[in-house]
Amino acid sequence: GQQVMQIPQYQHVQEGEDFTTYCNSSTTLSNIQWYKQRPGGHPVFLIQLVKSGEVKKQKRLTFQFGEAKKNSSLHITATQTTDVGTYFCAGPIQGAQKLVFGQGTRLTINP
Amino acid sequence: NAGVTQTPKFQVLKTGQSMTLQCAQDMNHEYMSWYRQDPGMGLRLIHYSVGAGITDQGEVPNGYNVSRSTTEDFPLRLLSAAPSQTSVYFCASRQSGGGETQYFGPGTRLLVL
């Protein structure tokens, strides 16, 4: 089964509201990556977290990697319509040979 | 650089037909992989390759074959298409090692009737 779980599956917000998606792994990850896929598009790399407890920011996006390196989150402050899409986390398993993705969180925004 | 290219963009098959989805990258990446994307299932790894001549199975390999004769190309073969293989297929590549950015192709939308 899927080893990287992501919640929620869907999230609908009003423009300006915040949004958070959570990612959990059954095993410790050496790193975690986040991707964004716009409707009809392909996944595009956003960021990678490597260190335990790491926090990185990209403008309104904040990414966190848990202390145990088993969970991660992506938080968007004051969403905009350009944030619409599906956000995926991904982690390497089996000695980094395989990059496995979570199910993704689809974000829709009411303008 | 063109990055990762995939052909065709769209394909309709009848049950039992065979076809090959093409994938090529011009970034000299060692690692290439194929994913399928179905609603609510995210991206599931079909097969991957860590270099020319080396392939391995992912999460959902049944019904698919791959080969890696060159660094650039990583075709995905459906030997006998089934309706359950209706999906969007993405090819991806990256440098070797687990911490490298993965680049995706534009995808192939496959419908099996």
Side-chain angles (χ1 to χ4, degrees):
Chain A
Q2 206 146 4
Q3 299 183 22
V4 178
M5 306 299 293
Q6 198 173 344
I7 56 170
Q9 190 173 352
Y10 302 98
Q11 184 77 58
H12 180 76
V13 301
Q14 290 290 125
E15 187 174 15
E17 290 182 339
D18 292 356
F19 159 77
T20 304
T21 174
Y22 301 90
C23 183
N24 290 286
S25 170
S26 55
T27 58
T28 300
L29 299 171
S30 59
N31 67 80
I32 195 156
Q33 301 177 9
W34 285 91
Y35 292 76
K36 177 183 178 181
Q37 183 180 25
R38 294 182 184 275
H42 60 275
V44 175
F45 175 82
L46 292 176
I47 206 163
Q48 177 182 272
L49 305 171
V50 179
K51 299 177 182 177
S52 170
E54 188 170 15
V55 178
K56 286 188 176 181
K57 292 189 176 184
Q58 288 180 349
K59 296 183 180 179
R60 295 176 294 103
L61 278 61
T62 301
F63 304 84
Q64 292 187 323
F65 200 10
E67 294 289 341
K69 301 183 76 172
K70 286 188 174 182
N71 56 75
S72 181
S73 65
L74 158 59
H75 180 81
I76 302 179
T77 303
T79 54
Q80 300 175 359
T81 54
T82 54
D83 296 326
V84 164
T86 301
Y87 293 84
F88 293 97
C89 62
I93 63 171
Q94 285 190 269
Q97 295 294 339
K98 299 182 183 181
L99 189 65
V100 176
F101 283 73
Q103 301 97 319
T105 296
R106 183 182 173 191
L107 173 64
T108 55
I109 298 174
N110 207 20
Chain B
N1 287 352
V4 182
T5 57
Q6 290 183 240
T7 57
K9 289 185 179 180
F10 304 97
Q11 184 71 50
V12 179
L13 291 178
K14 294 181 180 179
T15 297
Q17 285 186 316
S18 63
M19 81 160 294
T20 299
L21 279 63
Q22 301 292 345
C23 174
Q25 54 91 9
D26 61 0
M27 297 174 281
N28 202 31
H29 286 167
E30 295 179 351
Y31 184 99
M32 296 185 73
S33 54
W34 277 100
Y35 292 86
R36 60 176 288 174
Q37 185 172 33
D38 304 293
M41 299 296 291
L43 293 157
R44 291 185 292 171
L45 183 64
I46 304 172
H47 286 285
Y48 67 98
S49 168
V50 299
I54 306 170
T55 64
D56 205 347
Q57 295 182 348
E59 302 169 272
V60 288
N62 293 341
Y64 308 95
N65 281 352
V66 293
S67 60
R68 185 93 179 271
S69 57
T70 67
T71 299
E72 295 79 16
D73 300 298
F74 191 44
L76 178 72
R77 298 185 189 84
L78 284 69
L79 299 178
S80 179
S84 60
Q85 293 178 305
T86 293
S87 188
V88 180
Y89 291 86
F90 289 102
C91 178
S93 75
R94 61 175 166 85
Q95 295 286 4
S96 62
E100 301 295 329
T101 302
Q102 186 149 263
Y103 297 89
F104 283 83
T108 294
R109 292 183 177 273
L110 176 66
L111 173 62
V112 183
L113 301 174

